[in-house]
Amino acid sequence: MVKLKNYNVVLKQIVLILTFFILFSCAEKKQLVSKIEGKNIEITDTLSESTEIESFVKPYREHIDSDLNLVLSHAPKTLDKNGEWQTPMGNFISDITLEMATPIFKLKENKNIAICFLNHGGIRSIISAGDVTARTAYEVMPFENSAFVVGLKGEQLLEMIQYFISEKKPHPLSGMTFTIDKDNNPKNIFIQGKKLDLKEVYYVVTSDYLLNGGDNMLFFKKAIDKYDLDYKLRNMIIDYFKTHNEIIASQSIRVKKEN
């Protein structure tokens, strides 16, 4: 009887040992990186010469080129980016942005946009004299920036003007005029022909990039309201081209500098 008990004890120990062995052997093992190898792959023009790839891409490329090269309008003279405080391109882009955004904002919010303010660097090309196409719009505005309308108090507009003066760049401006005096301070500030009221709220159309503080335009972050028009600036340009036979920049003076 004693021997049987001893046998049972030994058997239990063997079963326990086997159980532990199976559990540990089945446990997930951590994989460790022991070696990393790499090699240089020479880039050649073999890919571009592949007739198979070329035949696949060609119809898509031709379709895109056809759309981009479609003549939409005509520019009697070149619109360039030259100017100290304003430029033909800046006047044109800010004016049409204000024009195209206003009816949309009026319909959505029953409010009027007073000003358009964009950045000089956002205009990447000129509009050359001659045929104007959709490709022209992509060259002028290659980014995917969308139009936003923000509500700014007169105090923030004053900050915007002071930023404009300190930057000494012809940032596109429409709907506002002012004079820079001999001490580089603004005066005679008018919004849509009316004198600036520091307590008034004015609606300004700009880009999502600037709204988020791009080009250090931090005054936009103080906006009391903001509205997404869901309309890309580039598409505004294309739509304007489609509805106007001639592309002409206004020569109206927005910023004067006293001597």
Side-chain angles (χ1 to χ4, degrees), residues 84-149:
E84 183 179 8
W85 296 107
Q86 62 187 63
T87 71
M89 276 299 297
N91 285 4
F92 175 72
I93 295 298
S94 59
D95 284 349
I96 71 168
T97 301
L98 182 60
E99 178 181 330
M100 301 296 284
T102 294
I104 298 173
F105 189 61
K106 181 69 173 178
L107 183 63
K108 284 186 173 183
E109 304 296 332
N110 196 29
K111 298 174 182 176
N112 293 314
I113 303 174
I115 301 166
C116 174
F117 190 65
L118 300 169
N119 59 324
H120 178 67
I123 302 175
R124 308 302 285 189
S125 182
I126 65 173
I127 296 178
S128 299
D131 289 339
V132 176
T133 65
R135 188 183 298 278
T136 306
Y138 274 84
E139 291 170 349
V140 170
M141 194 73 64
F143 311 111
E144 297 298 314
N145 294 129
S146 293
F148 269 76
V149 176

Side-chain angles (χ1 to χ4, degrees), residues 71-91:
V71 176
L72 303 178
S73 188
H74 178 79
K77 60 185 296 186
T78 296
L79 278 61
D80 59 36
K81 295 177 62 179
N82 299 325
E84 183 179 8
W85 296 107
Q86 62 187 63
T87 71
M89 276 299 297
N91 285 4

